[in-house]
């Protein structure tokens, strides 16, 4: 007789029935199926990207948002809700209830400098809201922006452990990264697989698409199960740049912003005061004046500037309008299904409005978005484009930071900063069947409170263990008592915050805050102190009057930072540019065969970024009719492509919106090896040479390199997918798939240029180590 083994379970253990040798001698039993409690509410969390405090009707906007107006009328508005000032950290905190540094999201998921606070992975001992609800019997769906997976792990060869389905969602549809084109999303993912898409249908718009997908998920659930509650996480990429909207939506807002941002702030603030969002006597701060964040008076602009800048805001308003329209479609669906009354709907933003468009805005988002200390003097952050193209698929634009200031009315500064403009956002919660008194709530609440609150409202207990491992305790506290009783006190009495060296600490109405200059020392002179109870818009620094409070809160910030994994703070060493050593494998030569799906954006960028590189194309032209794109990398925001048209080989280079076309001569029938060689030059430039069978046939102009987030679309073989590199070529031929014989495309990266940020950061580290 063999001994019992822990590796071989007895199939009859724990069976509740009786097993004999035959069915006649046996009694059946079935395991109890996991079901949510009867009457459990559905939960819909609508998270908008980069939307300021005043950008919807219930918080003072002139933008028509009738759906949100109705939600607020039969729901609750949190006027004193705070979040993190950047995308990924806010999302990690919302979905886990933990402070973001503890989860590993000190920054956006586009960095990996090698420290715990920057790990960019939700560990297995941190249950997400989706996992907890799923385990309690909920269906769980996510659509839209994820941005909780490192950019280096967003490709289909990754193990996907940080993708949505591995974090508790049954279904997912959207974009894993932080931003995308709303007309030509660069990499859509369905569930666990990127979609291989050549072109989108006419009239496609991403905000509509993700709403369609959400509606499909819910209606499919109800067709199969009339009772099962669901959690829907609808995370819009709008209104993050680049700003893009449907023409008919833009048209509705023409002329609305001709009076400018100063007048807009005044009118929005007047509505906020009239609606009771702030107490009488609250001051509207002067225009942002801090160095690097200044906003000038609207009346000082030329008429041409005013027309251009107003158009940017018209597009932004159209995006908010579209979000409201699509929310209406979703809620109408829930109403038709009989689910609306017992659905908790939360609407909020991940952080405040942004100043990243710079003082004048941009029609070239990726050139404005670049952060590199060595940019040459002739770098153009705003490529001149036809104003009528603004908001459409051909321009990747962002509004001037004056509009970001207006978005954040009545607060100071922007996304990325720990002043109120970066961290105070609108929050609306509606649950008709919940019996919550409607109206305003002025208590302080924080983004980590959302998950505990929703779990309490749903009657679901957060697990103390998950898969046998102790679950990490949450930092947030439920504000369900505040929802039920407007007079209840907030249980969230204090909170630290940190983002790229900007810091704050809140305790019982006091707020200690810094505006940190990148690379500067960290010292106590940076601290400002505000009494938020009397001065919610942070207009009067009282640090000199209360040095004891400054000292006490500064010490509390320091202790919280060590407890939550905030250190090390970023400095002038450029460590955020560092990547782990194993990423060097992404810079090995790679051969792509015809039919290979588009290479993911980050993977593609490692082959060319801040270095020389060569692209070798092996092809066969059977005859004069063979034509098409041989290789493309990029889109309307910047990229390059090689193609054959009318028997001639051509090279297109899109320099952040400026198109350069080079004729590389006739390409006769037969076997050929074509090489595109890029040589890295001083001033972050490339020069390009095209050779055919070893003979140089063309040299392109010296152009600025594509760096930062460009090229945004990845490498495609034999076609120019989705957003084209060359719009004129797209107008003539569409995606222009190559009709001849294409053997292979080989990328061979060269050594990094001296201005490669990783090279610079490592050199600074080595110099510091040698000095020490």
């Amino acid at each position: 007789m063999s001994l019992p083994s822990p590796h071989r379970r007895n199939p009859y253990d724990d069976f509740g029935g009786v097993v004999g040798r035959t069915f006649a001698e046996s009694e059946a039993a079935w395991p109890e199926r996991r079901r949510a409690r009867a009457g459990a509410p559905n939960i819909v969390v609508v998270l908008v990207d980069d939307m300021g405090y005043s950008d919807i009707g219930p918080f003072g906007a002139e933008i028509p948002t009738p759906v949100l107006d109705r939600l607020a009328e039969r729901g609750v508005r949190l006027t004193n809700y705070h979040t993190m000032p950047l995308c990924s950290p806010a999302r990690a905190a919302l979905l886990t209830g933990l402070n973001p540094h503890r989860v590993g999201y000190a920054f956006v998921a586009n960095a990996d400098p090698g420290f715990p606070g920057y790990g960019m992975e939700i560990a297995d001992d941190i249950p997400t809201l989706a996992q907890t609800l799923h385990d309690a019997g909920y269906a769980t769906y996510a659509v839209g922006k994820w941005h909780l997976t490192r950019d280096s792990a967003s490709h289909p060869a990754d193990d996907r452990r940080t993708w949505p389905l591995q974090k508790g969602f049954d279904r997912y549809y959207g974009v894993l990264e932080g931003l995308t084109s709303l007309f030509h999303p660069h990499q859509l993912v369905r569930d666990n697989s990127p979609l291989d898409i050549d072109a989108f249908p006419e009239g496609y718009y991403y905000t509509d698409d993700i709403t369609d997908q959400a509606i499909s998920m819910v209606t499919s659930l109800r067709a199969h199960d009339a009772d099962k509650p669901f959690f829907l996480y609808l995370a819009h990429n709008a209104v993050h740049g680049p700003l893009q909207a449907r023409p008919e939506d833009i048209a509705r807002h023409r002329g609305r912003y001709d009076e400018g941002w100063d007048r807009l702030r005044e009118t929005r603030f007047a509505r906020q005061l009239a609606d009771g969002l702030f107490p009488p006597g609250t001051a509207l701060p002067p225009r942002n004046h801090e160095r690097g964040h200044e906003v000038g008076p609207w009346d000082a602009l030329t008429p041409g500037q005013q027309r251009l800048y107003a158009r940017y805001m018209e597009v932004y308003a159209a995006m908010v309008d579209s979000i409201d329209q699509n929310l209406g479609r979703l809620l109408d669906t829930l109403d038709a299904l009989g689910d609306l009354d017992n659905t908790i709907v939360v609407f909020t933003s991940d952080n405040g409005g942004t100043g990243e468009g710079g003082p004048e805005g941009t029609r070239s988002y990726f050139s404005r978005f670049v952060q590199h200390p060595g940019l040459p003097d002739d770098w153009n952050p705003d490529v001149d484009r036809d104003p009528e193209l603004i908001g459409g698929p051909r321009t990747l634009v962002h509004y001037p930071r004056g509009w970001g200031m207006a978005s954040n009315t009545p607060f100071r500064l922007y996304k990325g900063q720990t002043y109120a403009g970066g961290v105070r956002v609108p929050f609306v919660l509606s649950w008709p069947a919940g019996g919550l008194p409607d109206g305003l709530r002025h208590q302080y609440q924080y983004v980590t409170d959302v998950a505990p609150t929703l779990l309490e409202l749903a009657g679901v207990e957060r697990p103390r263990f998950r898969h046998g491992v102790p679950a990490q305790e949450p930092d947030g506290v439920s504000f369900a008592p505040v929802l039920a009783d407007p007079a209840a006190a907030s249980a969230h009495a204090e909170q630290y915050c940190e983002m790229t060296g900007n810091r704050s600490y809140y305790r019982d109405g006091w707020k200690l805050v810094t505006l940190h200059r990148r690379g500067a020392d960290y010292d106590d002179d940076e601290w400002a102190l505000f009494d938020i109870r009397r001065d919610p818009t942070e207009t009067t620094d009282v640090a000199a009057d209360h040095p004891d409070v400054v000292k006490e809160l500064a010490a509390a910030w320091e202790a919280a930072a060590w407890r939550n994994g905030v250190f090390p703070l970023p400095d002038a060493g450029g460590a955020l540019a560092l990547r782990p050593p194993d990423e060097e494998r992404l810079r090995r030569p790679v051969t792509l065969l015809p039919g290979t799906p588009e290479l993911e954006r980050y993977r593609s960028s490692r082959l060319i970024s801040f270095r020389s590189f060569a692209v070798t194309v092996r092809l066969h032209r059977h005859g004069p009719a063979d034509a098409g794109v041989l290789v493309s990398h990029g889109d309307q925001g910047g990229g390059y492509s090689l193609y054959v048209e009318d028997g001639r080989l051509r090279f297109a280079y899109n320099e952040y919106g400026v198109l350069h076309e080079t004729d590389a001569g006739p390409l006769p029938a037969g076997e050929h090896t074509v090489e595109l060689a890029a040589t890295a030059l001083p001033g972050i430039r490339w020069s390009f040479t095209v050779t055919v069978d070893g003979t140089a046939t063309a040299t392109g102009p010296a152009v600025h390199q594509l760096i930062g987030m460009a090229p945004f679309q990845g490498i495609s073989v034999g076609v120019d997918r989705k957003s084209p590199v060359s719009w004129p070529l797209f107008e003539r031929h569409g995606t222009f798939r190559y009709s001849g014989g294409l053997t292979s495309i080989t990328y061979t990266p060269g050594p990094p240029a001296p201005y490669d940020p990783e090279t610079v950061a490592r050199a600074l580290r080595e110099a510091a180590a040698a000095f020490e």
Side-chain angles (χ1 to χ4, degrees):
M1 181 177 176
S2 60
L3 294 175
S5 169
H7 303 289
R8 187 178 182 88
R9 179 174 53 83
N10 185 329
Y12 300 117
D13 282 351
D14 301 321
F15 176 62
V18 175
V19 178
R21 296 191 72 239
T22 67
F23 274 94
E25 302 171 303
S26 306
E27 182 178 328
W30 289 267
E32 185 176 350
R33 300 297 181 185
R34 180 182 57 205
R35 302 287 296 183
R37 68 172 178 84
N42 308 306
I43 298 172
V44 175
V45 173
V46 182
L47 186 65
V48 184
D49 200 351
D50 287 5
M51 190 180 73
Y53 186 87
S54 71
D55 280 334
I56 59 174
F59 282 79
E62 72 299 326
I63 303 170
T65 55
V67 176
L68 286 167
D69 294 348
R70 290 194 296 272
L71 274 183
E73 287 167 4
R74 59 190 303 198
V76 173
R77 283 176 284 171
L78 301 187
T79 68
N80 198 10
Y81 171 78
H82 291 64
T83 180
M84 279 292 289
L86 210 59
C87 310
S88 302
R91 291 158 198 274
L94 187 148
L95 287 173
T96 65
L98 275 69
N99 289 324
H101 296 84
R102 286 182 63 205
V103 192
Y105 292 87
F107 193 56
V108 288
N110 300 80
D112 191 9
F115 296 99
Y118 297 82
M120 308 301 171
E121 291 190 7
I122 301 175
D124 289 340
D125 61 355
I126 300 175
T128 68
L129 179 60
Q131 286 169 327
T132 301
L133 290 171
H134 182 274
D135 292 350
Y138 273 67
T140 52
Y141 306 127
V143 296
K145 173 173 172 173
W146 181 238
H147 213 196
L148 292 173
T149 295
R150 281 194 309 275
D151 49 9
S152 60
S154 295
H155 57 80
D158 188 72
D159 63 13
R160 295 168 166 81
R161 66 178 178 268
T162 61
W163 291 28
L165 264 62
Q166 283 61 248
K167 291 303 165 187
F169 290 100
D170 297 322
R171 300 289 312 282
Y172 171 69
Y173 179 89
V175 173
L176 293 178
E177 287 200 277
L179 60 110
T180 197
S181 165
L182 301 190
F183 291 106
H184 301 117
H186 66 291
Q187 180 180 266
L188 283 170
V189 171
R190 185 183 297 281
D191 298 332
N192 254 355
S193 299
L195 299 177
D196 193 16
I197 297 171
D198 278 4
F200 291 97
E202 186 174 351
Y204 176 91
Y205 189 61
Y206 176 78
T207 302
D208 299 337
D209 185 13
I210 61 173
T211 304
D212 289 342
Q213 298 294 327
I215 289 172
S216 175
M217 292 174 186
V218 171
T219 54
S220 176
L221 171 68
R222 281 295 167 259
H224 293 87
D225 191 322
D227 303 316
K228 188 172 188 177
F230 62 85
F231 167 46
L232 170 62
Y233 175 60
L234 201 171
H236 286 283
N237 285 78
V239 288
H240 195 292
L243 306 183
Q244 296 175 314
R246 296 175 302 197
E248 60 270 28
D249 291 335
I250 298 173
R252 279 197 296 277
H253 299 275
R254 284 297 179 98
R256 190 184 296 274
Y257 299 100
D258 291 351
E259 292 186 308
W261 47 64
D262 293 323
R263 179 62 179 154
L264 185 64
R265 288 181 80 215
E266 292 169 0
T267 56
R268 287 188 173 186
F269 186 48
R271 290 191 200 97
Q272 291 170 338
L273 289 175
D275 213 15
L277 272 63
F278 299 98
T282 299
L284 180 65
R287 283 185 299 270
N288 291 333
H289 58 275
E290 296 81 0
R291 188 173 72 176
H293 307 290
E294 308 93 334
V295 175
W298 179 261
D299 290 345
L301 301 173
T302 68
Q305 288 174 317
Q306 290 180 348
R307 284 192 297 272
L308 175 63
Y309 295 1
R311 175 58 183 266
Y312 290 129
M313 188 60 189
E314 291 166 3
V315 176
Y316 181 90
M319 296 171 76
V320 176
D321 183 348
S322 174
I323 289 171
D324 191 75
Q325 293 175 49
N326 277 285
L327 179 58
R329 292 200 299 125
L330 173 63
L331 298 186
D332 286 348
T333 300
L334 298 183
D335 195 19
L337 293 170
D339 275 298
L340 185 56
D341 279 355
N342 198 30
T343 296
I344 301 167
V345 179
V346 169
F347 183 96
T348 188
S349 177
D350 60 351
N351 48 251
T354 179
E356 69 187 16
E360 72 273 7
T362 183
R363 287 156 286 184
S364 181
Y365 183 76
F366 292 124
S367 62
R368 170 71 70 185
F369 203 59
V370 165
Q371 301 291 323
H372 190 287
L375 289 181
D377 292 338
D378 63 348
W379 189 271
N380 186 3
D382 181 24
V383 173
D384 190 19
R385 304 292 294 276
D386 181 350
E388 289 303 309
L389 298 178
I390 289 175
R394 295 180 58 180
T395 53
L396 280 69
V397 308
H398 216 321
Y399 62 18
R401 61 183 176 229
W403 296 122
M405 175 186 68
S407 289
N408 295 331
T409 301
F411 303 121
R412 295 171 56 187
L413 295 170
Y414 318 95
K415 166 188 177 180
Q417 282 101 51
T418 48
Y419 275 79
V423 299
R424 287 188 70 168
V425 294
F427 191 102
V428 178
L429 186 147
S430 174
W431 183 21
L436 304 175
D438 60 18
L440 304 177
R441 303 291 189 274
H442 299 298
Q443 295 89 332
Y444 177 95
Q445 301 300 161
Y446 194 62
V447 62
T448 53
D449 302 337
V450 174
T453 301
L454 293 176
L455 290 177
E456 181 172 345
L457 295 179
V460 174
E461 186 174 345
R462 187 178 187 272
R464 290 177 47 80
F465 292 85
R466 182 168 172 80
H467 301 314
V469 177
Q472 294 298 299
E473 66 181 8
D475 297 296
V477 290
S478 171
F479 54 81
V482 169
L483 296 175
D485 179 5
S490 170
H492 204 126
E494 55 188 296
Q495 180 64 46
Y496 86 93
C497 187
E498 186 276 334
M499 179 52 55
T500 60
N502 295 314
R503 291 154 287 152
S504 71
Y505 199 87
Y506 171 86
R507 177 184 284 171
D508 290 332
W510 292 105
K511 182 179 177 182
L512 194 69
V513 63
T514 70
L515 180 62
H516 181 72
R517 287 187 298 109
R518 186 172 298 180
D521 292 335
Y522 291 95
D523 58 58
D524 290 342
D525 290 340
E526 289 189 313
W527 291 119
L529 180 67
F530 299 97
D531 184 347
I532 302 301
R533 294 160 296 193
R534 297 175 178 83
D535 180 22
T537 51
E538 301 171 354
T539 61
T540 305
D541 178 6
V542 295
D545 300 328
H546 300 279
D548 53 332
V549 177
V550 172
K551 183 177 180 180
E552 177 186 338
L553 296 188
W557 185 92
E558 190 84 6
W562 282 114
R563 186 167 183 262
N564 286 277
V566 175
F567 296 115
L569 295 171
D571 54 24
L576 281 176
L578 293 173
R579 294 288 179 148
D582 66 354
E583 278 202 23
E584 283 303 313
R585 62 191 171 80
L586 301 180
R587 292 197 171 107
R588 295 200 297 258
V590 62
T591 295
L592 307 172
L593 302 180
T596 301
E598 182 178 304
L599 204 63
E600 185 271 329
R601 178 199 67 81
Y602 183 79
R603 174 72 175 94
S604 298
S605 74
R606 297 302 86 189
L607 299 170
I608 70 166
S609 184
F610 292 106
R611 65 192 59 242
S612 301
F613 66 94
V615 185
T616 304
V617 183
R618 303 187 188 280
L619 65 103
H620 187 95
R621 285 200 77 215
H622 302 292
D626 283 347
V629 173
L630 303 175
V631 62
S632 70
H633 183 188
D635 48 52
Q636 282 291 283
Y640 57 91
S641 65
L642 271 174
Y643 62 94
V644 180
E645 184 183 34
D646 298 329
R648 302 184 73 84
L649 179 65
R650 301 180 187 274
F651 170 58
Y653 187 83
N654 187 325
E655 189 181 18
Y656 299 101
V658 176
L659 183 63
H660 305 275
E661 296 268 12
T662 302
D663 188 336
L667 189 68
E671 301 278 349
H672 297 288
T673 298
V674 174
E675 183 175 272
L676 174 68
T679 301
L681 304 174
I684 316 183
R685 292 179 177 271
W686 279 317
S687 66
F688 286 94
T689 300
V690 180
T691 63
V692 178
D693 302 326
T695 300
T697 60
T699 300
V703 291
H704 291 126
Q705 291 183 22
L706 300 169
I707 58 177
M709 298 295 287
F712 201 59
Q713 260 179 224
I715 296 166
S716 288
V717 177
V719 65
D720 192 352
R721 293 183 168 99
K722 293 170 283 194
S723 177
V725 170
S726 168
W727 196 269
L729 185 67
F730 172 75
E731 288 185 319
R732 295 195 297 271
H733 302 289
T735 56
F736 206 17
R737 185 174 287 276
Y738 183 62
S739 60
L742 195 54
T743 303
S744 64
I745 306 288
T746 299
Y747 271 77
T748 306
Y755 40 76
D756 170 42
E758 291 179 73
T759 302
V760 172
R762 288 193 176 94
L764 287 172
R765 277 193 160 191
E766 291 166 4
F771 179 77
E772 290 171 358

